[in-house]
Amino acid sequence: MMCAGLAGQRGRRVLLIEHHPAIGEKIRISGGGRCNFTNVGAGPANYLSQNPDFCRSALARYTPRDFLALVGRHGIAWHEKKLGQLFCDGSSRQIVEMLKAECERGRVTWWHPCPVLSVAREGDGFAVDTPRGRAHARALVVATGGLTVPKIGATPFGYRVAQQFGLPVVPPRPALVPLAFPPDLLARYGDLSGLSVDAEIACNGGRFRESLLFTHRGLSGPAILQISSYWEGRAPLAIDLLPGRDAGAWLAAERASAARLDSLLARDLPRRFAQAWCQAHDAARPLRELSDERIAAIARALARWEVRPSGTLGWNKAEVTLGGVDTRALSSQTMAARDVPGLHFIGEVVDVTGWLGGYNFQWAWASAHAAASAL
Ligand SMILES: Cc1cc2nc3c(=O)[nH]c(=O)nc-3n(C[C@H](O)[C@H](O)[C@H](O)COP(=O)(O)OP(=O)(O)OC[C@H]3O[C@@H](n4cnc5c(N)ncnc54)[C@H](O)[C@@H]3O)c2cc1C
């Protein structure tokens, strides 16, 4: 819708084809119904891709301020929640309505609901087959998103079009997704569901300090969703349970205490978690009864609790898709396939994946703007 509206307003004749009966469903369900529509700090460092520089140009040419100006023109009230995350005061439906109105301004024609069945090269342009008939176009913009939440419209169609035209696709996998405990950790921590801990989590170059939430299947919460995008299924998560503090120095200061470690930890961590963690680490005893070596090992484990998830909770629970159309095959200026003039890919279908916090929508708006400017 963003790309269609902008291209239409530049005088292009645009046909927008959407197969799902409801329009903009991902927007509607986003941000708990309030749509975290951008992040004031969005920059290349907030995105994962095989080519981390690919998003640079589009993000620089369409910034969070540009989107805020659009939101302002439509009189949509918003607020910053935390960490630069901007949300509607009212409802995420306002963003859907805004994009529909922008399409209207650009005199966009809709075929909706209408699936795209197939796409073919036709001279210098494209033919698109649908149950409503065949459409012909000089340019084709694929904005079919990722694979998350299939029940509201996600399909692998965009990846298939890419492959049909010889573009490589980085294998898609769920990201910003809760992680599952293996059976031993589930037995120990599964009944802590609902407890949250302020933690710093690191894995494969990612590092986030936010809350970690225990669930009846494993771990969730912002810190886990963020790090899930970096976890590739093998390396353990390294969880600092006392972020910003020196666990060794703290334990040394409490060295002579008659209190049990779990009671001391309960000053900073939920008591039931402190008890379960100390039991697992053979540390539910008075500090003064523990040897220096034990104390040193416990300090290391508090600063780096290694957790090996058994997997993710999959496409139904993930917010975004890692991977997608390989950016090496695309122009970062126009989002067009280098070897197929006129074929553009934008948004989540491309191998550019943002952090949690409004970054994915900012990529959708910015890449849409880049393509629309080139049509
Ligand atoms: C629960 C949830 C909450 C989220 N919250 C946020 C948030 O607050 N902030 C944020 O930045 N990001 C959030 N995201 C991520 C964000 O929604 C996506 O990154 C963004 O919507 C991607 O935009 P897109 O246009 O590329 O794809 P989509 O929004 O997925 O749109 C793709 C469209 O293509 C249609 N389509 C697919 N296949 C076909 C076909 N064959 N024919 C015709 N139409 C087709 C689909 O029906 C869909 O309407 C959230 C995601 C989820 C699942």
Side-chain angles (χ1 to χ4, degrees):
M1 282 191 277
M2 183 78 179
C3 184
L6 287 171
Q9 290 165 32
R10 294 184 66 235
R12 304 293 175 264
R13 273 179 65 217
V14 182
L15 171 64
L16 201 162
I17 307 177
E18 164 63 56
H19 76 146
H20 196 266
I23 290 163
E25 277 294 86
K26 283 260 173 83
I27 299 174
R28 183 183 61 79
I29 64 167
S30 69
R34 291 231 158 84
C35 187
N36 177 192
F37 54 75
T38 192
N39 190 297
V40 287
N46 309 113
Y47 294 87
L48 291 88
S49 171
Q50 303 258 311
N51 173 6
D53 279 327
F54 179 81
C55 59
R56 192 173 289 279
S57 165
L59 291 174
R61 284 183 294 142
Y62 192 87
T63 66
R65 272 167 177 267
D66 293 317
F67 193 73
L68 266 186
L70 181 63
V71 164
R73 284 201 293 282
H74 285 260
I76 299 173
W78 54 272
H79 62 280
E80 179 174 339
K81 213 166 176 181
K82 58 170 185 175
L83 304 170
Q85 302 168 2
L86 306 190
F87 288 77
C88 298
D89 286 356
S91 157
S92 51
R93 289 178 200 273
Q94 292 173 286
I95 300 292
V96 179
E97 291 308 315
M98 176 188 88
L99 293 170
K100 281 196 204 164
E102 288 295 306
C103 287
E104 182 98 30
R105 248 187 89 202
R107 298 173 182 278
V108 171
T109 302
W110 287 82
W111 283 6
H112 165 256
C114 176
V116 176
L117 302 175
S118 64
V119 168
R121 197 69 161 146
E122 191 182 58
D124 286 346
F126 300 88
V128 174
D129 275 319
T130 80
R132 277 175 71 159
R134 176 171 275 209
H136 308 271
R138 197 167 49 74
L140 179 68
V141 180
V142 180
T144 44
L147 295 177
T148 60
V149 204
K151 65 175 184 287
I152 55 167
T155 72
F157 186 78
Y159 307 131
R160 291 212 196 107
V161 173
Q163 283 162 337
Q164 176 190 339
F165 286 94
L167 279 69
V169 173
V170 178
R173 58 188 172 91
L176 298 182
V177 60
L179 299 173
F181 274 148
D184 58 330
L185 291 181
L186 197 59
R188 261 189 205 289
Y189 301 108
D191 65 353
L192 302 183
S193 177
L195 291 187
S196 81
V197 171
D198 171 32
E200 185 167 298
I201 311 186
C203 186
N204 291 328
R207 177 177 292 275
F208 298 91
R209 179 173 175 180
E210 276 202 71
S211 60
L212 167 163
L213 178 73
F214 289 89
T215 71
H216 66 288
R217 294 184 63 185
L219 293 172
S220 187
I224 289 293
L225 298 182
Q226 296 282 32
I227 210 68
S228 71
S229 301
Y230 291 79
W231 183 69
E232 53 9 344
R234 284 183 299 277
L237 310 181
I239 304 178
D240 185 347
L241 291 168
L242 298 174
R245 292 177 54 186
D246 181 339
W250 173 66
L251 288 176
E254 300 284 350
R255 186 71 186 87
S257 175
R260 284 160 53 120
L261 179 63
D262 45 317
S263 303
L264 292 173
L265 278 174
R267 293 181 197 157
D268 296 287
L269 298 167
R271 179 172 294 278
R272 282 170 53 223
F273 169 67
Q275 287 167 342
W277 189 89
C278 284
Q279 263 160 25
H281 291 79
D282 190 20
R285 296 195 234 158
L287 266 196
R288 65 181 180 200
E289 287 180 13
L290 295 168
S291 68
D292 287 346
E293 293 76 43
R294 268 314 291 135
I295 297 251
I298 290 166
R300 282 196 300 276
L302 283 170
R304 192 184 163 85
W305 177 34
E306 291 200 353
V307 170
R308 283 178 198 278
S310 58
T312 77
L313 295 203
W315 294 114
N316 283 324
K317 300 286 175 193
E319 280 200 12
V320 285
T321 303
L322 266 179
V325 179
D326 195 324
T327 57
R328 281 167 292 204
L330 302 177
S331 153
S332 63
Q333 301 293 309
T334 65
M335 304 292 134
R338 291 184 187 285
D339 297 333
V340 191
L343 178 63
H344 302 248
F345 292 85
I346 59 172
E348 200 177 313
V349 74
V350 178
D351 172 35
V352 173
T353 307
W355 289 359
L356 184 75
Y359 301 100
N360 285 293
F361 278 134
Q362 187 57 35
W363 169 246
W365 317 138
S367 56
H369 172 266
S373 307
L375 293 176

